[in-house]
Structures are given as structure tokens and as C-alpha cells.
């Protein structure tokens, strides 16, 4: 069963994807349309659709009027679907794709034009991914900045739920299109995703070839709605009942968005995924997020690899935004816990449980005056910029700094009452407020105390831990829902202006003079 959500804008029936000369029996998949971007070499792009069982389908790729590639297949009996994998293509275009069905001497032809080859990225998550360009800082300027980016094509999935996995999209909000001020800022939390668009724009500035962006996100949704039953069961999540949380304002059933808004795309050849979600799990299955998030990544990777006939890389790059700040009436540490769990409790990515991933730290991009609430900060440009640095390093193999300084080594100098931290990169300390904390334990009770900065050098710092009169149990940094004001956290890398991410380390077995390596 398919349950329509709040669908904004023009909803296109599936038949439109095939063109006006198609009949109901023969059509392209919903997202194969004019202006689309297909994945470039070294992968082969997948073209597929539906037809009459047993019919022959010939797919031809044209450049201008010349046929440069032809693939022949047949329509499967049970699924009534057909599929071809194109030979790997260099980036560029435009091309035309023609599909012809032959059955009992009757031919039906479908055509799509202005097709480009480049890199295709899927963007998903909840409201911070769903925010449109009209909602971000400098929106008027950003909406007007499209002329140079006509090879960055955009597509937006409708808000739909389904009880079972769908093979194709039931509805589309925005068919493949060239960017305009209208379709980038169509409305509030509708389309097109600002983070997705800005990320693609930064990539285009670097790569200088076509980028395809697919937005599939829904505000107020927990990770369980975007996860298959397989990945949830792997984490011991019971998949019956409704999801109850103050932060869940969207669909509250397990897997319904995976079924309707992600699985229908699984035959597509992708370059990678970016993700911005987590707020809705602050009060729901929070302690399982360090499993459910890596499990989602693994399951999406397996599914897209298989669905694309092995063309989407098995461990395709997966980027995400670590949660930003939020003005909360309580001072609990639920937001910091989600930030930590987003890294599978390593504090950094890539790591052993999350290979080929990259992260944009956003805890310093707070927005007290956001008209959409502080949980929706408007500086999506910096988010996208930090994400694209991670993509350039992890997805494209560039040698560049893409994440802030990480603590690599720790030494306790008990006689001086100091805890030394050595960082992976050069550090710049711009404010020395009490953002480091130590857990001090005595009489079977522990409490968190400030650990002020004592001395700072180019790549290390010393913390004053003399306030602890018991056992030093743990150290944490930026462990707060609102750790600092806008771009004013204490630690950054001076060259890239990337913030040091939050972290926690347990110290109970750290003896005076001993060293411990924190990041491998």
C-alpha cells in the first residue's frame, strides 16, 4: 500500500517519464527523463523501465544524430521490467536516449533528450536536508546564481510512504531540471534541498563536469523510517508499532520511507550519498544510533550495488552532517550523544566501522535567530563546503585537509596537574572558555568538572586537571547541545578553518607519565 504524504508542487504521474508517445505498457523508470544526469565512467549507467512480457527492447544512445551505442534486452515475464547497462562514458553531453519495444511486429519508441554524463549524488535525511535555498542565508543572491551551473541538474522525490518496498517511485515532486530560482527555492521545506544543491555546486566548481543531484528527504523523520527491516533487525530494533518522540513529526512507522523514497532508486548507478539526519533520534532509540546508522550505510551500499548490476561501487562514498546546535530548555547531553553515535563512537570518520565515509562538523554553525527555529540553522553554505571537502578527499582521492584537528595522543603529568593532548594537525585556539571537561570520581561517584586550557603550542595543548581530587575517569570536548557561538569554538585548524570535532575518551587506566593513542 502506498500512502501519500504532504506532496508539494507538481506531482508527475509515472507515465510522464516515458514521453507523450508511450502507452501504459512501455515506459522508462520514473526518474529517467529529459535533462537527467547518468553516472559517468568507470561505471556504466543503468537504463530501465517496464514493458510487455517477452518483448524485445533496444536502447540506443545518440550524440547529435549519430547512434554511438546500442543495447538489446527483453522484458522479464514476472516483473514486466527491462534493464540495460550502458558502456562507461566520459563526462559531458548532451546525448539522446531512445528505447524501442518490439512485440508482435508492433514498435513503440520512447525518447529523452539533453542527457548528460557526470557524477550522480543522492541527498537524504530530515528537515535540515529538506530546507530549500530560499531558506538559507543570502537566499536572493544564491537563487540568482544559476547561470554558470546549468550542468548541475536537480531532481526531487515526493513525500510518500509505503508498507512494502516499491520498485519504482510512485510520485515525483521535481523531474530532472536545470536549476532556476523557482525550482531551487520552491517553498519552505519542499524542494530543492539547499545542502544538496550547494554541495553539488561546490563539486562542479572543482570537477568542471556535470553533477546530478537527487533529493529524497522528509522533515521530522527518524533513521528507522529510512532503514530496511534487515538493517533494523541487525541492530536488535523491534520493527512493530509507532515511533514515539517529540522530535518525530514526520512518518512514524519503520521502513516506510526506505520502501517508498529510497528503494525505488536502487537500480540507479550512483557516485555517492550525503545525509543529514539525527535530530529525530535524540529521544528515540538514541543508544542504538551507533548501530542503526552504520547499518543503514551498509544496507544502502549493498542494495544499490546489487540493484545497479554491480555498477554502483560496493563501498560508495557516504557523507553526512554531524548535528548542529539547538537552544534547548534542558541541559541534557542527548545531542552530544547523537553526534558521537554518528561516528559509531569513534569521534571521527572514516573508521573501522564506517569505511569510505566523510563528515561535516556543524556544531559551531548555530543560529539563534533562525525564523525556522534554532534547530534549523540557515548557514547551509558552510555545511555544504565542509561536506564537499570530505567528498574531494574520500570520493575523489584528493590530498587535502577535510576534517578538523583530532586528538591523537594523551599524556597525564600528575605531578604538574596537567593532561597533555597532541593533535593530528596544527591547532588554533581562538577562545579559552571551559569547553574541555574531566570526569572526576571519588566515593563511587563521578562528576564533570571544567578542565581549563593551561598552555598551547602549534599542535598540542595542556589542560589543568588539578580540580580533580579523586580518580580521573574521562575527558570530553564540546560535549554540549550548544557548545559555542557561531564559528567561535575554541579549536580550529588555522589553514582550513575546520573545527575540531567533539570527542570523549576514557582515562581510568591512564597512569601518570603514560601515553595513550586516541585516533588510529
Amino acid at each position: 500500500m502506498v500512502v501519500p504524504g504532504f506532496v508539494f508542487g507538481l506531482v508527475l504521474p509515472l507515465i510522464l517519464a516515458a514521453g507523450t508517445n508511450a502507452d501504459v505498457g512501455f515506459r522508462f523508470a520514473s526518474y529517467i527523463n529529459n535533462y537527467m544526469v547518468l553516472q559517468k565512467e568507470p561505471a556504466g549507467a543503468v537504463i530501465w523501465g517496464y514493458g510487455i512480457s517477452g518483448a524485445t527492447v533496444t536502447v540506443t544512445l545518440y550524440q547529435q544524430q549519430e547512434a554511438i551505442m546500442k543495447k538489446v534486452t527483453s522484458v522479464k515475464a514476472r516483473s514486466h521490467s527491462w534493464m540495460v547497462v550502458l558502456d562507461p562514458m566520459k563526462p559531458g553531453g548532451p546525448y539522446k536516449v531512445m528505447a524501442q519495444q518490439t512485440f508482435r511486429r508492433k514498435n513503440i519508441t520512447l525518447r529523452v533528450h539533453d542527457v548528460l554524463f557526470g557524477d550522480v549524488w543522492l541527498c537524504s535525511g530530515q528537515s535540515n536536508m529538506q530546507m530549500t535555498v530560499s531558506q538559507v542565508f543570502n537566499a536572493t543572491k544564491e537563487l540568482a546564481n544559476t547561470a554558470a551551473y546549468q550542468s548541475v541538474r536537480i531532481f526531487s522525490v515526493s513525500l510518500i510512504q509505503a508498507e512494502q518496498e516499491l520498485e519504482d517511485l510512485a510520485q515525483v515532486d521535481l523531474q530532472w531540471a536545470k536549476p532556476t530560482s523557482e525550482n531551487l527555492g520552491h517553498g519552505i521545506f519542499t524542494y530543492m534541498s539547499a545542502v544538496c544543491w550547494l554541495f553539488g555546486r561546490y563539486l562542479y566548481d572543482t570537477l568542471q563536469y556535470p553533477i546530478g543531484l537527487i533529493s529524497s528527504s522528509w522533515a521530522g523523520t527518524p533513521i528507522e523510517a529510512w532503514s530496511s527491516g534487515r538493517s533494523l533487525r541487525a541492530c536488535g530494533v523491534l520493527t512493530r508499532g509507532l515511533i514515539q518522540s517529540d522530535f518525530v513529526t514526520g512518518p512514524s512507522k519503520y521502513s516506510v520511507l526506505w520502501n517508498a523514497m529510497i528503494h525505488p532508486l536502487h537500480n540507479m548507478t550512483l557516485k555517492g550519498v550525503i545525509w543529514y539526519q539525527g535530530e529525530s533520534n535524540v529521544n528515540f532509540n538514541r543508544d542504538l544510533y551507533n548501530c542503526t546508522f552504520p547499518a543503514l550505510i551498509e544496507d544502502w551500499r549493498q542494495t544499490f550495488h546489487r540493484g545497479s548490476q554491480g555498477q554502483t561501487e560496493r563501498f560508495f562514498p557516504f557523507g553526512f552532517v554531524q548535528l548542529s546546535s539547538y537552544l534547548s530548555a534542558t541541559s541534557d547531553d542527548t545531542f552530544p550523544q547523537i553526534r558521537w553515535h554518528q561516528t559509531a563512537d569513534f569521534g571521527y570518520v572514516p573508521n573501522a566501522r564506517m569505511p569510505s565515509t566523510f563528515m561535516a562538523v556543524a556544531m559551531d554553525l548555530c543560529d539563534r535567530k533562525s525564523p525556522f527555529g534554532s534547530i534549523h540553522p540557515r548557514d547551509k553554505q558552510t555545511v555544504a563546503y565542509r561536506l564537499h571537502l570530505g567528498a574531494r578527499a574520500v570520493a575523489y582521492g584528493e590530498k587535502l585537509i577535510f576534517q578538523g584537528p583530532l586528538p591523537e595522543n594523551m599524556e597525564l603529568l600528575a605531578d604538574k596537574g596537567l593532561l597533555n593532548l597532541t593533535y593530528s594537525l596544527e591547532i588554533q585556539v581562538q577562545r579559552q572558555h571551559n569547553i574541555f571537561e574531566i570526569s572526576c570520581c571519588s566515593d563511587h561517584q563521578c562528576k564533570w568538572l571544567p578542565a581549563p586550557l593551561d598552555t598551547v603550542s602549534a599542535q598540542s595543548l595542556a589542560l589543568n586537571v588539578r580540580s580533580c581530587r579523586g580518580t580521573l575517569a574521562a575527558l570530553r570536548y564540546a560535549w554540549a547541545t550548544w557548545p559555542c557561538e557561531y564559528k567561535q569554538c575554541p579549536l580550529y585548524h588555522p589553514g582550513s578553518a575546520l573545527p575540531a570535532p567533539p570527542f570523549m575518551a576514557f582515562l581510568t587506566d591512564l597512569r601518570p607519565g603514560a601515553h595513550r593513542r586516541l585516533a588510529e
Side-chain angles (χ1 to χ4, degrees), residues 489-503:
C489 279
L491 295 180
Y492 289 82
H493 175 254
S496 64
L498 292 172
F503 78 89

Side-chain angles (χ1 to χ4, degrees), residues 11 27 59 85 145 148 238 249 283 296 299 315 319 340 352 408 419-420 438 453 455 479 506:
V11 177
R27 60 178 174 85
V59 176
V85 178
N145 186 19
L238 299 176
T249 58
N283 292 321
L296 175 143
D299 189 62
F315 293 97
W340 188 244
E408 283 192 323
L419 184 64
N420 277 350
I438 51 173
L453 283 169
T455 59
W479 206 264
F506 293 98

Side-chain angles (χ1 to χ4, degrees), residues 89-100:
M89 294 287 295
K90 294 183 180 300
Y95 296 89
K96 294 180 182 178
V97 177
M98 183 180 80
Q100 185 177 75

Side-chain angles (χ1 to χ4, degrees), residues 24-32 46-59 72-84 99 101 110 166-168 263-264 266-267 307 309:
V24 174
F26 184 50
R27 60 178 174 85
F28 285 121
S30 58
Y31 53 80
I32 295 175
V46 173
I47 301 290
W48 72 283
Y50 294 94
I52 299 173
S53 177
T56 297
V57 176
T58 303
V59 176
V72 180
T73 188
S74 59
V75 180
K76 296 177 182 178
R78 180 170 295 182
S79 64
H80 297 279
S81 65
W82 53 269
M83 178 183 293
V84 299
Q101 175 183 265
L110 311 174
L166 303 184
E167 292 304 311
D168 198 7
H263 188 269
H266 76 289
N267 291 339
Q309 309 299 303

Side-chain angles (χ1 to χ4, degrees), residues 372-504:
F372 315 105
S374 64
I375 203 166
H376 300 122
R378 289 166 289 175
D379 183 0
K380 295 299 190 276
Q381 291 89 338
T382 303
V383 168
Y385 181 78
R386 291 174 181 176
L387 269 178
H388 110 283
L389 290 178
R392 287 169 61 182
V394 173
Y396 297 98
E398 282 194 55
K399 300 297 183 183
L400 80 169
I401 293 172
F402 67 98
Q403 55 189 346
L406 299 168
E408 283 192 323
N409 196 54
M410 185 165 48
E411 180 184 13
L412 179 60
L413 304 176
D415 57 331
K416 298 180 181 180
L418 298 177
L419 184 64
N420 277 350
L421 292 180
T422 303
Y423 278 80
S424 60
L425 299 170
E426 185 180 355
I427 58 174
Q428 174 181 317
V429 177
Q430 59 181 31
R431 293 188 71 206
Q432 298 193 25
H433 61 106
N434 294 326
I435 200 167
F436 283 97
E437 297 173 293
I438 51 173
S439 176
C440 185
C441 301
S442 61
D443 298 327
H444 306 290
Q445 290 186 335
C446 300
K447 60 181 178 179
W448 289 101
L449 302 172
L453 283 169
D454 188 279
T455 59
V456 178
S457 65
Q459 210 164 323
S460 65
L461 56 84
L463 300 174
N464 184 329
V465 295
R466 299 185 191 98
S467 60
C468 182
R469 304 298 183 184
T471 301
L472 195 61
L475 169 70
R476 65 189 187 185
Y477 169 75
W479 206 264
T481 304
W482 192 282
C484 57
E485 293 304 313
Y486 181 75
K487 292 188 177 180
Q488 292 180 21
C489 279
L491 295 180
Y492 289 82
H493 175 254
S496 64
L498 292 172
F503 78 89
M504 177 184 286

